[in-house]
Amino acid sequence: MAKVKFHSGEAVPLEMHKVRIVQKLSLAPIERRLEAIREAGNNTFLLKNRDIFLDMLTDSGVNAMSDKQQAAMMEADDSYAGSETFTKLENKIRDIFQMEYFLPVHQGRAAENIISRVFVTPGSIVPMNYHFTTSKAHIVLNGGSVEEIIIDEGLQVTSQCPFKGDMDVGKLQTLISTHGAAKIAYVRIETGTNLIGGQPHSLANLREVSRVCRKNGILLVFDASLLADNLHFIKDREAECRGMSVRDITKAIAGLTDIIYFSARKLGCARGGGICTNSRDAFMKMRELVTLYEGFLTYGGMSIREIEALTVGLEETMDEDMISQGPQFIEYMVNDLARQGVPVITPAGGLGCHLDAMAFLPHVPQTEYPAGALASALYLVSGVRGMERGSISEQRNEDGSEVYSNMELLRLAVPRRVFTLSQLKYAVDRIVWLYQNRDLIGGLKFVEEPSMLRFFFGKLEATSGWQAKLVAKFRKDFGDSL
Ligand SMILES: *Cc1c(COP(=O)(O)O)cnc(C)c1O
């Protein structure tokens, strides 16, 4: 993506691609959206695509493929074992990450299953900058525990800190001296830290973390699912890296880590995943589990066509125009919202734009799920589907009491190369209108609450008749507009 200056002086992100395949969208009237969100139990995971205008639920598996990726899929060399397509991917991994061994898996969490089974033992600890839902679940399932040691700025909603995803190296050293290196299964760094708003870490921080790990003989595992965004931010924000190419930054990162794994639903605009390492020992231990849980070593649960697309997608990730597209769109959206007074996570990160629901709806207590209420309200007034990342996404304690999350966020993901700027402007317009009418929004309460993964399947209802009032105000302000 290029950022060009308009003659007014405004810097506007400019798409460095053209769209040659389109999918029709529809925007149902607000009365239908009210029915749809009620049918979905005010849970955006349960909405049907046909009722959605802009799907900003996630960036997972919904990034647009390029013409070159689609063309490569036609060349797929399908075979159970020894596929030429797999050899191409292996060579691309060696080229980009300079890692000798590669294991394919069907998606990111499958890599986490395998890594946790091999390296996490009961009672062991995994220090990390911040957890991702599936990463933590696999570590806990194998008897380990997670220690989150992100820098303090990482948890501040608004900040000027360019690298909110950095690990607090002092805290890492304290953990090692308190528990001893032997108790630490591995250190995990998540690039483009997902749950705190797609915030990046710096190369300098990774270097420090790596130094401490190597000095203490501890394995450094790097979750590269959101690497594309983080590469963009390192190049853009880290002074010493400005002169480096994206490829050189990638090699520098890889050289500091022992195991890299990723979800190809995000990295490489395909579907699948992988684990890379230079350690023959680690490779041999994980290899058996890949054949057990994923499939033979030359496909690992991925379709061969997706492997072709991934190989091309990884190469495209080395292109600045490609990786800057998402972050620059997000920055445009975040800055426009912030300028109009809407509480958003700053600075803009990767992945999406994150609304701060506690500041947006200060009158809705955490017991009534402000982030969930905001997700429901935004869908209602716009047809935009976001994802609740707040207390509904937490799980109750064993005694049934609620776990309230540090932040109540509504995440509006911006899948790569999918939306146009006018679509984002529409989303911004409706969010600003909603903010001006925020007093009308009330809370939610569960009517069906599963004990596991309630955010996927749970159903809620409005605590009062606030949704009908919001519809009436919308009609008053927008007339018969959708
Ligand atoms: C999405 C994601 C995963 C899990 O990947 P899946 O392909 O969804 O299983 C792991 N780590 C991070 C940082 C992610 O964003």
Side-chain angles (χ1 to χ4, degrees), residues 54-343:
L54 301 181
D55 190 359
M56 305 181 90
L57 185 75
T58 175
D59 64 333
S60 175
V62 289
N63 300 297
M65 278 194 194
S66 67
D67 52 353
K68 296 203 165 55
Q69 285 183 286
Q70 298 226 350
M73 287 171 87
M74 293 294 110
E75 296 181 350
D77 175 31
D78 260 305
S79 77
Y80 187 88
S83 152
E84 196 53 39
T85 292
F86 179 74
T87 305
K88 271 195 233 170
L89 175 58
E90 218 177 14
N91 287 336
K92 185 54 69 186
I93 296 281
R94 286 188 186 128
D95 166 36
I96 289 178
F97 294 129
Q98 314 262 291
M99 285 194 171
E100 187 55 28
Y101 304 106
F102 176 69
L103 292 165
V105 293
H106 78 275
Q107 66 183 92
R109 67 199 69 182
E112 295 171 333
N113 172 40
I114 287 163
I115 293 168
S116 304
R117 279 178 181 270
V118 170
F119 298 104
V120 176
T121 49
S124 66
I125 299 169
V126 182
M128 53 180 69
N129 50 348
Y130 206 70
H131 79 282
F132 181 71
T133 47
T134 55
S135 346
K136 183 172 173 178
H138 280 293
I139 290 163
V140 172
L141 198 66
N142 284 284
S145 64
V146 161
E147 289 281 352
E148 289 170 319
I149 46 171
I150 197 157
I151 54 166
D152 293 342
E153 288 89 334
L155 296 180
Q156 283 162 14
V157 177
T158 55
S159 161
Q160 305 272 331
C161 177
F163 293 109
K164 284 164 83 174
D166 278 355
M167 178 176 271
D168 187 326
V169 180
K171 285 188 183 156
L172 176 61
Q173 277 160 329
T174 308
L175 275 178
I176 296 170
S177 48
T178 311
H179 301 281
K183 254 205 130 174
I184 294 181
Y186 53 85
V187 169
R188 173 177 174 275
I189 291 288
E190 180 179 312
T191 198
T193 328
N194 189 324
L195 297 187
I196 61 158
Q199 296 291 325
H201 63 80
S202 63
L203 182 60
N205 183 254
L206 186 67
R207 197 172 285 130
E208 278 302 292
V209 171
S210 176
R211 190 180 56 77
V212 172
C213 288
R214 289 195 174 155
K215 201 175 91 192
N216 291 280
I218 299 169
L219 214 56
L220 180 52
V221 175
F222 187 79
D223 179 346
S225 303
L226 302 177
L227 180 64
D229 298 338
N230 208 113
L231 283 170
H232 163 75
F233 289 120
I234 286 178
K235 175 119 181 102
D236 194 52
R237 296 179 184 173
E238 197 162 352
E240 64 161 298
C241 300
R242 213 151 276 160
M244 291 168 78
S245 67
V246 175
R247 203 178 290 274
D248 287 343
I249 298 171
T250 307
K251 282 181 188 162
I253 288 176
L256 296 167
T257 65
D258 300 304
I259 293 177
I260 295 179
Y261 76 89
F262 59 91
S263 165
R265 297 177 66 83
K266 290 122 186 201
L267 186 65
C269 297
R271 289 138 198 115
I275 309 173
C276 325
T277 185
N278 269 323
S279 157
R280 182 162 177 82
D281 180 46
F283 169 73
M284 294 303 276
K285 284 183 186 147
M286 293 188 285
R287 194 169 81 160
E288 295 164 19
L289 297 183
V290 170
T291 41
L292 196 56
Y293 289 105
E294 302 302 306
F296 191 67
L297 294 177
T298 56
Y299 70 93
M302 271 188 267
S303 96
I304 300 288
R305 289 187 173 202
E306 295 281 347
I307 296 179
E308 284 282 352
L310 172 57
T311 306
V312 175
L314 287 174
E315 179 56 34
E316 288 177 352
T317 304
M318 298 294 107
D319 173 3
E320 260 185 276
D321 279 343
M322 148 67 182
I323 61 174
S324 60
Q325 193 270 326
Q328 287 185 1
F329 260 25
I330 292 161
E331 182 185 31
Y332 182 90
M333 205 175 162
V334 166
N335 291 351
D336 206 11
L337 286 167
R339 188 174 53 75
Q340 301 187 68
V342 177

Side-chain angles (χ1 to χ4, degrees), residues 14-32:
L14 193 64
E15 296 85 343
M16 295 304 286
H17 55 254
K18 56 185 174 183
V19 179
R20 297 193 302 129
I21 293 184
V22 296
Q23 182 181 0
K24 188 171 160 49
L25 285 173
S26 59
L27 178 55
I30 191 168
E31 290 75 15
R32 168 61 205 146

